Amino acid sequence: MSPQDAYASLIGKLREVALIGSAASTLEWDMQTQMPEQGIGVRGEQLELLSTLRHARFTDPAIGELLAILTTSDLAKGDTPEAANIRETQRDYTRACKLPGDLVGAIARQESVGQKAWEQARKADDFSQFEPHLRTMVGLKQQAADAYGHDGERYDALLEEYEPGATTVEVASVLEGLRGPLVELVAAVKDSGKDVRHDMLERKYPGKDQAEFARFAAQAVGFDFDAGRIDVSAHPFCTGLNTGDTRITTRYDENFFGDAFFGTLHEAGHGMYEQGLPKAEHFGTPMGESVSLGIHESQSRMWENAVGRSAAFWKWAYPLAQKRFKDALWDITEDEFVGGANAIRPTLIRTESDETTYNLHILLRFELERALLAGDLDPKDLPGAWTEKMTKYLGVVAPSDADGCLQDVHWSAGLIGYFPTYTLGNLYAAQLFEKAREDLGDLDDQFAHGHFAALLTWLRENIHQHGRRYTAGQLCERVTGKSLSSEPLLRYLRGKAKSYYGV
C-alpha cells in the first residue's frame, strides 16, 4: 500500500472513531442539560458502550499497521497537516493501546453516575453522598495512570491527557512560583485600605434578562449561534460536538450578575476556539482538535477577563446593561461597575473569584487531587483538607460542602489533571494578549465601540487554524517570539491592582 493510500485509509478510520465520540458527547450534553434524573442508569450503559466501541475502533491493529507505513514515509516529514496528523495520531494510538477496554468502559459509566451523584450531593450540601463515587473514580484513575505508565508520579500520566509534554514537577514549579507574588499582591491590596465596592453585582438581576444579555454579549464578541447554542447546566461547560455544532452552557443566579455573564463569556471563548478549528477539512483528526487545554483555557480566560472585564468593554456595554437592568444599576456609574467587576477579594467560589486570587484556587485543587491520586489523601478526608488549604491560601472558610469541595464538577467526571490547565491558560492568555495588542494597535478603542472582530480574526489566524500542528509551547513561541513566562500575567495583574487600589 502506498503512503498516500494508507493516509486516506487512516483519515477514514479516524473519522469513524470521531463520529462515535461525537455521539457520546451528545449524550453527555443531554445528560447535563435536560435528561430526567431517572434516566441515569441506562445513560451510563449507553456511554459505557460507546466509549468501549470508540476505544476498540481506535486501537484496532489495522490503524497500527497504517501508522507503521506512514511514520517512515515522506508524509510524516515537516510541519504539514499530514505530518501533524500522522505524528499526533501515533502518539494517541500508542497511549490508547495501553488502556484496557473494560477500564475505559468502567470510567465512562462512573462518569455519568458520578456526575449525577455530585449534582444531588451538592444540592443536598452533603459530601457523604458523593464520597463513595469519588473513591471509585479515584481508584479507576489510579488504574488508568498505572496502565499508561509513569516514573513514580501517577499525576504525570493523567496530566499528559490535557497538557501534552507537561510534567507534574514543572506545573508545581509554575504554581509555586506564582503563589508568592500573588499572596504579596493580595496583601498589598488589603493593606492599601482602599475598598472597591462590588455590592452592585449582588443585587437583583432577573434570570430572563440575564439570559438575553449574556447571549447578546456572546454573539457580539463572535460566538456563532448558527453553529452553536447555549443552555443551562449545574456547572458551565463547552463541548464541540462536530463541524457546525458547538454547545456552551451557563447557570443563572438572580442575586449575582457575574456568575452567568462572565461565565458565559468564558464558555463563549472556548466555543469560538472550537468554531475556529479547521474541522470542516480535518474533522476527527488532530488537525481539527485543540492543541492543549492550557491553550483552550487561554481563549476562554482572554475573552472573559482581558476583554470582558476591561474598562473599554464596559464603555460600550455598560449603557446597554444599565438599560436592561435599570432597577439594579440606576444609581451605579460606569466606573463603579467596572471597579466592582475587577475588585480583588478572596472568595469561596473559584468561578466567582477575581483574577488575582483565582490561581490560588487552582493551586489548592492541584495539590489535593495530586494527593488523592497518590493515595496520600483518603477521599473521606477531603472536606477537612479543603478547609485547611482554603484557610492557608485564601483566608476564607467554606460554611458548607456545597461551597467547599463540592463546588466543582471535575472530579465527579474523572477530570483529574485538568485543574492546572486553568492557570496555564491564564499565563498563555496574558502573553498572547500582549502580542495581540502589539499587532492590532488600539484594541481598547475597538472594544469601546463594540468591535471585537480584529481580535477574533487574529486568534483564528495565529491559534485556531493550526489545530495540533504545534505543541502548546511551540505555538506560544511561534506567535509571541518567546517561551511561556509568568511575567506578562504578573504585569497584567499588577496593572489592575495599581489602577483600582493604587498599589
Side-chain angles (χ1 to χ4, degrees), residues 141-158:
K141 286 296 180 173
Q142 288 172 331
Q143 293 179 50
D146 292 342
Y148 286 135
H150 51 82
D151 294 326
E153 176 75 73
R154 281 174 170 155
Y155 201 86
D156 279 341
L158 301 189

Side-chain angles (χ1 to χ4, degrees), residues 1 45 103 169 173 185 196 236 244 260 272 337 348 354 373 404 410 414 433 467 499:
M1 182 183 295
E45 293 179 26
L103 180 56
V169 171
S173 177
L185 188 57
V196 174
M272 288 187 285
F337 183 86
L348 293 170
D354 64 82
L373 196 66
H410 300 64
F433 194 65
S499 294

Side-chain angles (χ1 to χ4, degrees), residues 103-132:
L103 180 56
V104 171
I107 291 174
R109 182 176 180 81
Q110 183 56 38
E111 285 176 3
S112 60
V113 174
Q115 287 183 71
K116 281 300 176 183
W118 166 78
E119 285 185 26
Q120 294 165 356
R122 186 169 184 263
K123 189 174 182 179
D125 188 19
D126 183 3
F127 176 76
S128 67
Q129 293 184 22
F130 176 59
E131 187 269 331

